[in-house]
């Protein structure tokens, strides 16, 4: 694993009007890592991801991607530079087929050859999407829709994949299956930043994790250390 940070979030502050949703947080992500952002509802996890993807602009602080400032760029430029997000709630196009949804995800890809390779890549990770490629997305199961949302984000060949609660609303076995695929995607060289409420399962595939509490980082560490952290266990892991 490279020692160069691929993402550096420094003193990041975000306001929604008078609400200070992020209070000068610092996060470092190294290339090839899976980094988890954990914490209760409203802690600021989604806000952090949406600031990384450029949908929200920070009121203070900087974000560096491979050493270059990212926080002033438009969302389209951030995507083009290699960061893709699979948003909370999936946001797939229900009236379109699986294949059409994936094609939309590849909007920065101009080469037909690369487009074809990317379809193959996504179908390799999620074989069920190939089986259902002509099916309208609204008829997919919840798990399949989540796979489609992740697959769509992969269609742009991202260096960094941002995942917002991929396990939301899914049965435990499916959560395990999806997190294992996320792990494989990371092993293939895509850096992953994953927001999850499902801390125990996520820590199994993460390298490093940050715990957010009302807009601040209350704890951070190697995933295997946090897994055995009793205060975290009580609050988030459901093991006490
Ligand atoms: P969840 O798991 O519920 O999505 P979260 O950790 O992702 O929680 P955020 O959605 O980032 O938390 O919210 C952080 C804070 O910012 C919360 O207090 C929330 O109410 C507030 N907030 C989020 N989005 C907005 C918005 N569009 N306008 C005003 N306040 C917002």
């Amino acid at each position: 694993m490279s020692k160069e940070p691929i993402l550096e979030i420094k003193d990041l502050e975000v306001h929604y009007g008078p609400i200070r949703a992020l209070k000068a947080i610092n996060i470092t992500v190294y290339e090839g890592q899976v980094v988890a952002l954990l914490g209760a509802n409203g802690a600021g996890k989604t806000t952090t991801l949406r600031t990384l993807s450029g949908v929200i602009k920070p009121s203070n602080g900087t974000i560096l991607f491979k050493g270059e400032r990212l926080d002033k760029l438009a969302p389209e430029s951030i995507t083009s530079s290699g960061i893709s997000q699979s948003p909370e709630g999936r946001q797939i196009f229900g009236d379109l087929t699986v294949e059409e949804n994936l094609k939309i995800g590849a909007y920065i890809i101009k080469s037909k050859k690369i487009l074809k390779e990317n379809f193959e890549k996504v179908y390799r990770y999620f074989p069920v999407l190939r089986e259902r490629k002509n099916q309208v997305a609204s008829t997919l199961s919840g798990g399949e829709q989540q796979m489609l949302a992740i697959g769509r984000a992969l269609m742009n060949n991202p260096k960094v994949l941002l995942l917002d609660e991929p396990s939301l609303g899914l049965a435990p076995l499916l959560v395990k299956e999806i997190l294992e695929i996320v792990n494989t995607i990371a092993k293939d060289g895509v850096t992953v930043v994953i927001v999850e409420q499902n801390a125990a399962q996520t820590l199994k595939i993460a390298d490093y994790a940050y715990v957010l509490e009302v807009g601040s980082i209350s704890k951070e560490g190697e995933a295997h250390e946090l897994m055995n952290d009793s205060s975290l266990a009580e609050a988030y892991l459901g093991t006490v």
Side-chain angles (χ1 to χ4, degrees):
M1 191 174 294
S2 152
K3 281 279 167 260
E4 284 302 302
I6 190 162
L7 280 175
E8 286 176 275
I9 295 179
K10 294 180 183 170
D11 299 322
L12 191 73
E13 295 224 348
V14 170
H15 286 82
Y16 295 108
I19 299 169
R20 196 160 158 240
L22 291 181
K23 304 166 186 168
I25 65 164
N26 290 286
I27 290 175
T28 305
V29 179
Y30 292 93
E31 201 164 351
Q33 277 188 326
V34 174
V35 169
L37 307 182
L38 309 173
N41 278 334
K45 307 179 298 295
T46 297
T47 301
T48 307
L49 279 200
R50 299 187 83 218
T51 312
L52 277 170
S53 60
V55 184
I56 296 173
K57 292 294 163 204
S59 34
N60 239 320
T62 54
I63 302 174
L64 300 180
F65 174 51
K66 295 197 275 184
E68 306 271 329
R69 276 297 276 279
L70 189 84
D71 46 278
K72 302 270 186 237
L73 300 181
E76 304 75 48
S77 310
I78 292 176
T79 309
S80 306
S81 68
I83 298 180
S84 279
Q85 179 167 10
S86 172
E88 190 175 23
R90 300 164 199 155
Q91 297 179 21
I92 58 170
F93 299 99
D95 295 343
L96 302 183
T97 65
V98 166
E99 194 171 60
E100 286 164 344
N101 269 279
L102 291 176
K103 183 120 195 272
I104 288 172
Y107 67 95
I108 64 167
I109 305 292
K110 303 287 173 249
S111 149
K112 278 197 173 146
K113 181 168 167 280
I114 295 175
L115 184 65
K116 194 157 173 271
E117 286 169 7
N118 290 357
F119 268 113
E120 281 308 310
K121 178 177 68 182
V122 169
Y123 290 150
R124 235 182 1 259
Y125 287 129
F126 304 108
V128 70
L129 295 182
R130 189 197 298 275
E131 288 164 29
R132 309 217 183 287
K133 66 179 182 184
N134 296 318
Q135 197 169 315
V136 168
S138 60
T139 62
L140 298 177
S141 71
E144 290 161 357
Q145 290 191 12
Q146 186 58 63
M147 292 176 191
L148 179 56
I150 299 172
R152 188 180 57 186
L154 286 173
M155 287 297 290
N156 271 333
N157 264 347
K159 298 249 181 311
V160 177
L161 181 63
L162 308 175
L163 298 176
D164 199 344
E165 301 225 27
S167 79
L168 196 69
L170 302 184
L173 258 182
L174 258 176
V175 173
K176 191 162 175 272
E177 186 184 335
I178 286 189
L179 289 176
E180 274 167 11
I181 298 169
V182 169
N183 199 19
T184 307
I185 293 168
K187 291 221 159 38
D188 289 343
V190 179
T191 306
V192 175
V193 181
I194 179 169
V195 160
E196 264 299 337
Q197 299 248 355
N198 202 328
Q201 298 252 50
T202 308
L203 286 174
K204 287 187 192 152
I205 65 147
D207 295 292
Y208 201 86
Y210 293 84
V211 180
L212 280 132
E213 253 174 56
V214 279
S216 298
I217 290 164
S218 59
K219 198 168 274 254
E220 63 172 275
E222 301 282 338
H224 62 89
E225 285 168 8
L226 292 185
M227 234 182 266
N228 300 314
D229 186 304
S230 56
S231 62
L232 195 68
E234 207 169 330
Y236 304 108
L237 303 183
T239 52
V240 173

